[in-house]
Amino acid sequence: MPPVFLLVFLQAVVSAASLVVEIVAGRMLAPYVGMSLYTWTSIIAVVLAGFSAGHWAGGRLAERPAATGLMATGFGLAGAALTTAAAVFLLRWSAEPVINALTAPIASITAISMIVFFLPSFFAGIPAPVLARIAVDADRAKAGRALGAMFAAGALGAIAGTLLAGFVFISFLGTIGTLAVVTATYVLCAALLLGLARRKTPAIVPAAIVLGAALILAGSGLAAENPCKRESNYFCIRVVDVYPEAKTPVRLMVLDHLAHGISARDFPEVMFTPHASMLELIARTRMEDRPYSAFFIGGGTYSIPRAWGPKPQVKVTVAEIDPAVTEMAEKYFWFDPAVARIFHEDARRALASRPDTYDVVIGDAFTDITVPQHLVTKEFFELVRSRLTDDGVYLMNVIDHADRLQAMASIAATLKSVFPEVEIWVQNTGQPLEGRLVFILAAGNSLSKTSRLEGLDPEPYVAGRLTQDTVQRLITNENALILTDDYAPIDRLMALRE
């Protein structure tokens, strides 16, 4: 009978490894479906479902003699090693077909999570009841202590795995390297359990084959090309050559799965994306020819700071939470950090912790199905207004569906509860507004002097301001919510229809 301390140790290690996989799952899915409330909800639900099914299977195995249970548990961890190593390849093979087949984001995120991460969690859930049963049988007089130690080991292992994944492994090894470490851990634990079973059976051969295959797969994952140019603590950052001609290069930055910005080396004044172009054009028009200061929520490719920073009449400040994004903008998008003051921290904290005021505050935090909730609330907008000059303007982009506009209406209503004037701008294509559109919201003490602007992105376009009657109808719509720090269901308001 194995000593209790060894069983407790094994339970802690397996629990830690399984939680590392859960944390890594979020980072792995981000380049395909983004990082949102839906992503984490799906991952947690799938992993817990896998653990539950594994515990049930392990309970059945726990009824068998100790040697048989240890042997079967060793095979279970061999399965955990193999499916963990295969997760990288399963994700790459399944993500695009699933997303194309299931257009609703919740359905596609859940399906991908199930395909890739259910089996690793299932196999990792098998050991707990088996090891607990053996620990109890090892010393009946101290059965309660042994059982408590097993539960505590599982919880402490989960805590350790969470901390190691978030603060150590992903930061230094990346997601693929982290999965390789977990695979190796499962292989060692499986080999130890098979050894503890002390049985020489023909089944040892296939077990060895499975463990070897897991290590080979893990090594293949490490050798395969990483989709990320840089894997930071926040994003999978990719750089795409849109126009790779050496004489006039144009590049695209992708954060996770979202095209975040495009820059041309020789044309810093051209924004290339509708939202960046309108943000820059509206802000510059509002400021007219006078000197002004600007605060940017998020850096990305630093397209607008790059265009404004060298101008002596403009003072630029940027709050970009991810230092790696700034490094990539400097290295690949021709941004000179000397032209701006940069804070690598959350934008809300950056504004709240400093009394500086600005003529322009620009928020560019929206993605396709999510936005940081703390940057769309009444409390945040009150903070922004306190940091604006009297004739300053707050600008933000909003992506919403033209036939619904629930997110738009709620954000506009929330802005209107703080600012005297709220405007909504959209590119005027001459066609009816339909599908998913990019809008720019402008808030301040006064309206813009014009309702029509002409710009380049890089083709000529016209941006039009919705009438104030239209804005008022949106604000007073019964579906419009005042978003607060306590209640801001922006994910639900932006979700695509099933």
Side-chain angles (χ1 to χ4, degrees):
M1 190 76 69
V4 173
F5 77 86
L6 181 57
L7 299 174
V8 170
F9 174 75
L10 278 171
Q11 177 57 37
V13 171
V14 171
S15 182
S18 65
L19 262 292
V20 170
V21 173
E22 181 176 357
I23 300 301
V24 168
R27 290 297 310 127
M28 288 180 65
L29 261 62
Y32 302 93
V33 296
M35 184 64 67
S36 69
L37 178 64
Y38 300 134
T39 308
W40 281 115
T41 299
S42 299
I43 289 170
I44 293 171
V46 166
V47 169
L48 289 178
F51 287 161
S52 299
H55 293 335
W56 179 84
R60 299 288 296 271
L61 296 174
E63 296 174 354
R64 301 180 181 183
T68 304
L70 287 172
M71 176 69 70
T73 303
F75 275 100
L77 284 183
L82 184 63
T83 53
T84 297
V88 173
F89 302 98
L90 277 175
L91 178 60
R92 293 180 181 178
W93 295 335
S94 66
E96 187 173 348
V98 170
I99 292 170
N100 292 336
L102 302 173
T103 55
I106 298 176
S108 61
I109 292 170
T110 303
I112 295 170
S113 300
M114 182 67 71
I115 291 169
V116 180
F117 297 108
F118 177 80
L119 284 179
S121 303
F122 167 77
F123 287 118
I126 290 176
V130 178
L131 298 180
R133 167 68 187 277
I134 296 174
V136 168
D137 288 345
D139 189 350
R140 285 287 180 179
K142 298 179 180 179
R145 297 182 187 181
L147 193 60
M150 293 299 292
F151 277 103
L156 290 174
I159 294 170
T162 301
L163 295 176
L164 287 171
F167 297 146
V168 181
F169 288 153
I170 297 176
S171 297
F172 291 97
L173 301 179
T175 53
I176 299 175
T178 299
L179 284 189
V181 170
V182 172
T183 299
T185 301
Y186 282 146
V187 167
L188 291 174
C189 290
L192 179 58
L193 285 167
L194 292 171
L196 289 173
R198 297 178 180 177
R199 285 192 172 185
K200 295 182 179 180
T201 68
I204 293 295
V205 175
I209 293 174
V210 171
L211 294 177
L215 292 175
I216 292 172
L217 269 179
S220 300
L222 289 171
E225 183 180 359
N226 193 325
C228 309
K229 185 80 171 180
R230 172 79 178 273
E231 195 169 359
S232 74
N233 292 335
Y234 295 93
F235 302 108
C236 166
I237 307 173
R238 287 176 283 170
V239 177
V240 180
D241 285 316
V242 178
Y243 188 69
E245 284 290 333
K247 294 182 178 180
T248 55
V250 180
R251 292 174 183 157
L252 163 70
M253 177 183 284
V254 180
L255 299 182
D256 289 338
H257 74 310
L258 181 72
H260 196 79
I262 303 175
S263 287
R265 184 191 65 188
D266 301 325
F267 303 98
E269 71 281 0
V270 179
M271 296 297 111
F272 286 95
T273 60
H275 76 278
S277 182
M278 285 193 290
L279 285 170
E280 193 274 340
L281 179 61
I282 296 168
R284 182 163 42 83
T285 301
R286 293 270 301 214
M287 293 300 101
E288 298 176 328
D289 295 325
R290 63 186 178 87
Y292 60 93
S293 58
F295 181 93
F296 291 85
I297 299 171
T301 54
Y302 283 77
S303 296
I304 303 178
R306 179 179 171 231
W308 288 0
K311 299 178 180 179
Q313 74 272 24
V314 184
K315 294 182 179 179
V316 174
T317 301
V318 183
E320 169 54 61
I321 196 169
D322 191 351
V325 170
T326 303
E327 293 173 14
M328 296 295 281
E330 179 181 359
K331 186 174 182 179
Y332 295 101
F333 293 88
W334 310 284
F335 172 67
D336 180 4
V339 303
R341 180 176 59 161
I342 301 172
F343 301 125
H344 289 126
E345 58 184 289
D346 178 76
R348 182 161 174 172
R349 178 182 176 183
L351 279 175
S353 62
R354 299 170 180 85
D356 303 351
T357 58
Y358 304 92
D359 299 294
V360 179
V361 175
I362 293 180
D364 180 12
F366 260 76
T367 64
D368 54 350
I369 60 172
T370 189
V371 67
Q373 295 185 7
H374 67 299
L375 299 182
V376 293
T377 65
K378 180 177 180 180
E379 291 85 352
F380 175 66
F381 293 152
E382 289 172 341
L383 171 63
V384 171
R385 188 180 183 190
S386 72
R387 296 296 186 263
L388 280 174
T389 57
D390 290 340
D391 56 352
V393 61
Y394 172 62
L395 298 166
M396 68 178 295
N397 70 307
V398 176
I399 302 172
D400 206 353
H401 307 275
D403 61 344
R404 189 171 50 174
L405 297 180
Q406 292 184 10
M408 169 73 75
S410 295
I411 294 173
T414 306
L415 280 170
K416 188 63 176 177
S417 70
V418 175
F419 291 92
E421 301 292 348
V422 175
E423 304 170 357
I424 300 175
W425 291 78
V426 65
Q427 278 199 13
N428 183 4
T429 62
Q431 302 295 324
L433 298 181
E434 58 183 4
R436 296 174 69 245
L437 297 172
V438 176
F439 299 88
I440 302 299
L441 272 64
N445 292 328
S446 61
L447 293 173
S448 300
K449 295 180 180 180
T450 181
S451 60
R452 184 180 184 275
L453 293 170
E454 296 181 0
L456 295 171
D457 72 346
E459 298 298 323
Y461 72 91
V462 174
R465 189 180 75 192
L466 302 186
T467 66
Q468 290 307 103
D469 287 343
T470 302
V471 175
Q472 187 61 32
R473 283 197 299 272
L474 277 173
I475 291 172
T476 56
N477 186 296
E478 62 180 11
N479 293 321
L481 304 173
I482 301 297
L483 306 175
T484 67
D485 286 347
D486 179 61
Y487 183 63
I490 192 67
D491 298 87
R492 172 173 61 81
L493 296 175
M494 293 181 64
L496 292 170
R497 290 180 174 176
E498 301 296 330

Short mmCIF file of all heavy atoms in Angstrom, two decimals, residues 294-332:
data_model
loop_
_atom_site.label_atom_id
_atom_site.label_comp_id
_atom_site.label_asym_id
_atom_site.label_seq_id
_atom_site.Cartn_x
_atom_site.Cartn_y
_atom_site.Cartn_z
N ALA A 294 -4.01 65.49 -25.44
CA ALA A 294 -4.87 64.34 -25.70
C ALA A 294 -4.45 63.15 -24.85
O ALA A 294 -3.25 62.90 -24.66
CB ALA A 294 -4.82 63.95 -27.17
N PHE A 295 -5.45 62.44 -24.35
CA PHE A 295 -5.24 61.22 -23.57
C PHE A 295 -5.88 60.06 -24.32
O PHE A 295 -7.06 60.12 -24.67
CB PHE A 295 -5.86 61.37 -22.18
CG PHE A 295 -5.66 60.16 -21.29
CD1 PHE A 295 -4.58 60.09 -20.43
CD2 PHE A 295 -6.55 59.09 -21.32
CE1 PHE A 295 -4.39 58.99 -19.60
CE2 PHE A 295 -6.37 57.98 -20.51
CZ PHE A 295 -5.28 57.93 -19.64
N PHE A 296 -5.11 59.00 -24.53
CA PHE A 296 -5.60 57.84 -25.29
C PHE A 296 -5.78 56.65 -24.36
O PHE A 296 -4.86 56.27 -23.63
CB PHE A 296 -4.62 57.48 -26.40
CG PHE A 296 -4.56 58.48 -27.51
CD1 PHE A 296 -3.73 59.59 -27.41
CD2 PHE A 296 -5.34 58.34 -28.65
CE1 PHE A 296 -3.66 60.54 -28.41
CE2 PHE A 296 -5.28 59.28 -29.67
CZ PHE A 296 -4.45 60.38 -29.56
N ILE A 297 -6.96 56.07 -24.42
CA ILE A 297 -7.24 54.84 -23.68
C ILE A 297 -6.89 53.68 -24.60
O ILE A 297 -7.64 53.31 -25.49
CB ILE A 297 -8.72 54.79 -23.27
CG1 ILE A 297 -9.06 55.97 -22.37
CG2 ILE A 297 -9.05 53.47 -22.57
CD1 ILE A 297 -10.54 56.13 -22.09
N GLY A 298 -5.72 53.11 -24.41
CA GLY A 298 -5.24 52.04 -25.27
C GLY A 298 -4.30 52.58 -26.34
O GLY A 298 -4.50 53.69 -26.87
N GLY A 299 -3.28 51.79 -26.65
CA GLY A 299 -2.31 52.21 -27.65
C GLY A 299 -2.44 51.47 -28.96
O GLY A 299 -2.56 52.08 -30.02
N GLY A 300 -2.42 50.14 -28.91
CA GLY A 300 -2.47 49.36 -30.15
C GLY A 300 -1.30 49.69 -31.05
O GLY A 300 -0.13 49.67 -30.63
N THR A 301 -1.58 50.01 -32.28
CA THR A 301 -0.53 50.41 -33.22
C THR A 301 -0.06 51.85 -32.98
O THR A 301 0.84 52.31 -33.67
CB THR A 301 -1.04 50.31 -34.66
OG1 THR A 301 -2.25 51.06 -34.79
CG2 THR A 301 -1.30 48.86 -35.04
N TYR A 302 -0.68 52.54 -32.06
CA TYR A 302 -0.35 53.94 -31.77
C TYR A 302 -0.49 54.81 -33.00
O TYR A 302 0.29 55.75 -33.22
CB TYR A 302 1.07 54.06 -31.21
CG TYR A 302 1.22 53.64 -29.76
CD1 TYR A 302 1.24 52.31 -29.39
CD2 TYR A 302 1.34 54.60 -28.75
CE1 TYR A 302 1.38 51.92 -28.07
CE2 TYR A 302 1.48 54.22 -27.42
CZ TYR A 302 1.51 52.88 -27.08
OH TYR A 302 1.64 52.50 -25.77
N SER A 303 -1.48 54.52 -33.84
CA SER A 303 -1.61 55.22 -35.11
C SER A 303 -1.84 56.72 -34.93
O SER A 303 -1.15 57.55 -35.54
CB SER A 303 -2.75 54.61 -35.93
OG SER A 303 -2.46 53.28 -36.28
N ILE A 304 -2.83 57.08 -34.10
CA ILE A 304 -3.10 58.52 -33.91
C ILE A 304 -1.98 59.18 -33.12
O ILE A 304 -1.52 60.28 -33.50
CB ILE A 304 -4.47 58.73 -33.24
CG1 ILE A 304 -5.58 58.08 -34.07
CG2 ILE A 304 -4.75 60.23 -33.08
CD1 ILE A 304 -6.97 58.20 -33.46
N PRO A 305 -1.50 58.61 -32.01
CA PRO A 305 -0.35 59.23 -31.34
C PRO A 305 0.85 59.40 -32.26
O PRO A 305 1.59 60.38 -32.15
CB PRO A 305 -0.04 58.24 -30.21
CG PRO A 305 -1.35 57.61 -29.89
CD PRO A 305 -2.03 57.48 -31.23
N ARG A 306 1.06 58.45 -33.17
CA ARG A 306 2.17 58.57 -34.11
C ARG A 306 1.97 59.76 -35.05
O ARG A 306 2.93 60.46 -35.41
CB ARG A 306 2.29 57.28 -34.92
CG ARG A 306 3.41 57.30 -35.95
CD ARG A 306 3.49 55.98 -36.69
NE ARG A 306 4.41 56.07 -37.81
CZ ARG A 306 4.14 55.72 -39.06
NH1 ARG A 306 2.94 55.21 -39.35
NH2 ARG A 306 5.03 55.85 -40.00
N ALA A 307 0.70 60.01 -35.45
CA ALA A 307 0.42 61.13 -36.35
C ALA A 307 0.47 62.47 -35.61
O ALA A 307 0.91 63.47 -36.18
CB ALA A 307 -0.96 60.94 -36.98
N TRP A 308 0.03 62.49 -34.35
CA TRP A 308 -0.05 63.74 -33.61
C TRP A 308 1.22 64.07 -32.83
O TRP A 308 1.56 65.23 -32.65
CB TRP A 308 -1.21 63.68 -32.61
CG TRP A 308 -2.56 63.77 -33.24
CD1 TRP A 308 -2.86 63.89 -34.55
CD2 TRP A 308 -3.82 63.73 -32.55
NE1 TRP A 308 -4.22 63.93 -34.74
CE2 TRP A 308 -4.83 63.84 -33.52
CE3 TRP A 308 -4.19 63.62 -31.22
CZ2 TRP A 308 -6.19 63.83 -33.20
CZ3 TRP A 308 -5.54 63.61 -30.88
CH2 TRP A 308 -6.53 63.72 -31.87
N GLY A 309 1.90 63.02 -32.34
CA GLY A 309 3.00 63.24 -31.41
C GLY A 309 4.07 64.21 -31.86
O GLY A 309 4.51 65.06 -31.08
N PRO A 310 4.52 64.14 -33.12
CA PRO A 310 5.59 65.05 -33.56
C PRO A 310 5.15 66.51 -33.68
O PRO A 310 6.01 67.39 -33.82
CB PRO A 310 5.97 64.49 -34.94
CG PRO A 310 5.49 63.07 -34.93
CD PRO A 310 4.23 63.09 -34.12
N LYS A 311 3.84 66.78 -33.64
CA LYS A 311 3.37 68.15 -33.80
C LYS A 311 3.59 68.94 -32.51
O LYS A 311 3.14 68.51 -31.44
CB LYS A 311 1.89 68.17 -34.17
CG LYS A 311 1.59 67.46 -35.49
CD LYS A 311 0.10 67.45 -35.79
CE LYS A 311 -0.18 66.74 -37.13
NZ LYS A 311 -1.63 66.70 -37.43
N PRO A 312 4.25 70.09 -32.58
CA PRO A 312 4.57 70.84 -31.34
C PRO A 312 3.33 71.34 -30.61
O PRO A 312 3.38 71.57 -29.39
CB PRO A 312 5.43 72.00 -31.84
CG PRO A 312 5.10 72.13 -33.30
CD PRO A 312 4.76 70.76 -33.77
N GLN A 313 2.19 71.50 -31.31
CA GLN A 313 1.00 72.04 -30.66
C GLN A 313 0.16 70.96 -29.97
O GLN A 313 -0.86 71.27 -29.35
CB GLN A 313 0.12 72.80 -31.67
CG GLN A 313 -0.65 71.93 -32.65
CD GLN A 313 0.13 71.59 -33.89
OE1 GLN A 313 1.36 71.62 -33.87
NE2 GLN A 313 -0.57 71.30 -34.98
N VAL A 314 0.60 69.71 -30.04
CA VAL A 314 -0.17 68.62 -29.44
C VAL A 314 0.69 67.89 -28.41
O VAL A 314 1.84 67.53 -28.68
CB VAL A 314 -0.63 67.60 -30.52
CG1 VAL A 314 -1.51 66.54 -29.87
CG2 VAL A 314 -1.37 68.31 -31.64
N LYS A 315 0.13 67.69 -27.23
CA LYS A 315 0.78 66.90 -26.18
C LYS A 315 0.00 65.59 -26.03
O LYS A 315 -1.21 65.62 -25.76
CB LYS A 315 0.81 67.65 -24.86
CG LYS A 315 1.69 68.89 -24.90
CD LYS A 315 1.73 69.58 -23.54
CE LYS A 315 2.63 70.80 -23.58
NZ LYS A 315 2.68 71.51 -22.27
N VAL A 316 0.68 64.47 -26.20
CA VAL A 316 0.02 63.17 -26.25
C VAL A 316 0.37 62.35 -25.02
O VAL A 316 1.55 62.23 -24.65
CB VAL A 316 0.43 62.40 -27.52
CG1 VAL A 316 -0.13 60.99 -27.50
CG2 VAL A 316 -0.05 63.15 -28.77
N THR A 317 -0.66 61.76 -24.41
CA THR A 317 -0.51 60.82 -23.30
C THR A 317 -1.28 59.56 -23.65
O THR A 317 -2.41 59.63 -24.13
CB THR A 317 -1.05 61.41 -21.98
OG1 THR A 317 -0.34 62.61 -21.67
CG2 THR A 317 -0.88 60.41 -20.85
N VAL A 318 -0.66 58.40 -23.41
CA VAL A 318 -1.29 57.13 -23.74
C VAL A 318 -1.25 56.21 -22.53
O VAL A 318 -0.20 56.07 -21.88
CB VAL A 318 -0.58 56.43 -24.92
CG1 VAL A 318 -1.30 55.13 -25.29
CG2 VAL A 318 -0.51 57.36 -26.14
N ALA A 319 -2.39 55.60 -22.22
CA ALA A 319 -2.45 54.55 -21.20
C ALA A 319 -2.65 53.22 -21.92
O ALA A 319 -3.74 52.93 -22.41
CB ALA A 319 -3.58 54.81 -20.21
N GLU A 320 -1.60 52.43 -22.01
CA GLU A 320 -1.64 51.12 -22.65
C GLU A 320 -1.24 50.09 -21.59
O GLU A 320 -0.11 50.09 -21.11
CB GLU A 320 -0.69 51.05 -23.84
CG GLU A 320 -0.45 49.67 -24.41
CD GLU A 320 -1.72 48.92 -24.76
OE1 GLU A 320 -2.48 49.40 -25.62
OE2 GLU A 320 -1.96 47.86 -24.15
N ILE A 321 -2.17 49.21 -21.25
CA ILE A 321 -1.94 48.30 -20.13
C ILE A 321 -0.85 47.28 -20.41
O ILE A 321 -0.19 46.80 -19.49
CB ILE A 321 -3.27 47.59 -19.76
CG1 ILE A 321 -3.15 46.95 -18.37
CG2 ILE A 321 -3.67 46.58 -20.83
CD1 ILE A 321 -4.47 46.48 -17.82
N ASP A 322 -0.59 46.99 -21.66
CA ASP A 322 0.37 45.93 -22.02
C ASP A 322 1.65 46.54 -22.57
O ASP A 322 1.68 47.05 -23.69
CB ASP A 322 -0.26 45.00 -23.05
CG ASP A 322 0.57 43.75 -23.28
OD1 ASP A 322 1.70 43.69 -22.77
OD2 ASP A 322 0.08 42.84 -23.97
N PRO A 323 2.76 46.47 -21.83
CA PRO A 323 4.02 47.01 -22.35
C PRO A 323 4.46 46.34 -23.65
O PRO A 323 5.12 46.98 -24.48
CB PRO A 323 5.02 46.71 -21.22
CG PRO A 323 4.20 46.48 -20.00
CD PRO A 323 2.90 45.92 -20.47
N ALA A 324 4.07 45.09 -23.84
CA ALA A 324 4.47 44.38 -25.06
C ALA A 324 3.84 45.02 -26.29
O ALA A 324 4.44 45.03 -27.38
CB ALA A 324 4.08 42.91 -24.97
N VAL A 325 2.63 45.55 -26.16
CA VAL A 325 1.98 46.22 -27.28
C VAL A 325 2.79 47.45 -27.69
O VAL A 325 3.00 47.70 -28.88
CB VAL A 325 0.53 46.60 -26.92
CG1 VAL A 325 -0.07 47.52 -27.99
CG2 VAL A 325 -0.33 45.36 -26.77
N THR A 326 3.24 48.20 -26.71
CA THR A 326 4.06 49.38 -27.01
C THR A 326 5.36 48.98 -27.69
O THR A 326 5.80 49.61 -28.66
CB THR A 326 4.36 50.16 -25.72
OG1 THR A 326 3.14 50.52 -25.08
CG2 THR A 326 5.16 51.41 -26.01
N GLU A 327 5.98 47.92 -27.19
CA GLU A 327 7.23 47.44 -27.79
C GLU A 327 7.02 47.02 -29.25
O GLU A 327 7.85 47.31 -30.12
CB GLU A 327 7.78 46.27 -26.98
CG GLU A 327 8.25 46.65 -25.58
CD GLU A 327 8.62 45.44 -24.76
OE1 GLU A 327 8.77 44.35 -25.35
OE2 GLU A 327 8.75 45.57 -23.53
N MET A 328 5.89 46.35 -29.50
CA MET A 328 5.61 45.91 -30.87
C MET A 328 5.32 47.10 -31.78
O MET A 328 5.70 47.12 -32.95
CB MET A 328 4.44 44.94 -30.87
CG MET A 328 4.70 43.64 -30.13
SD MET A 328 6.00 42.63 -30.88
CE MET A 328 5.08 41.90 -32.23
N ALA A 329 4.62 48.12 -31.25
CA ALA A 329 4.34 49.31 -32.04
C ALA A 329 5.62 50.04 -32.40
O ALA A 329 5.77 50.56 -33.52
CB ALA A 329 3.41 50.25 -31.26
N GLU A 330 6.56 50.05 -31.47
CA GLU A 330 7.85 50.70 -31.72
C GLU A 330 8.67 49.90 -32.73
O GLU A 330 9.30 50.46 -33.63
CB GLU A 330 8.62 50.85 -30.41
CG GLU A 330 9.98 51.50 -30.57
CD GLU A 330 10.72 51.61 -29.26
OE1 GLU A 330 10.16 51.20 -28.21
OE2 GLU A 330 11.87 52.10 -29.27
N LYS A 331 8.65 48.57 -32.60
CA LYS A 331 9.51 47.72 -33.42
C LYS A 331 8.98 47.51 -34.82
O LYS A 331 9.75 47.48 -35.79
CB LYS A 331 9.69 46.37 -32.73
CG LYS A 331 10.68 45.45 -33.42
CD LYS A 331 10.92 44.18 -32.60
CE LYS A 331 11.94 43.27 -33.27
NZ LYS A 331 12.19 42.05 -32.46
N TYR A 332 7.64 47.39 -34.95
CA TYR A 332 7.07 47.00 -36.24
C TYR A 332 6.15 48.06 -36.87
O TYR A 332 5.80 47.93 -38.04
CB TYR A 332 6.27 45.71 -36.09
CG TYR A 332 7.13 44.52 -35.73
CD1 TYR A 332 7.18 44.06 -34.42
CD2 TYR A 332 7.89 43.88 -36.70
CE1 TYR A 332 7.97 42.96 -34.08
CE2 TYR A 332 8.69 42.78 -36.36
CZ TYR A 332 8.72 42.34 -35.05
OH TYR A 332 9.50 41.26 -34.72
#
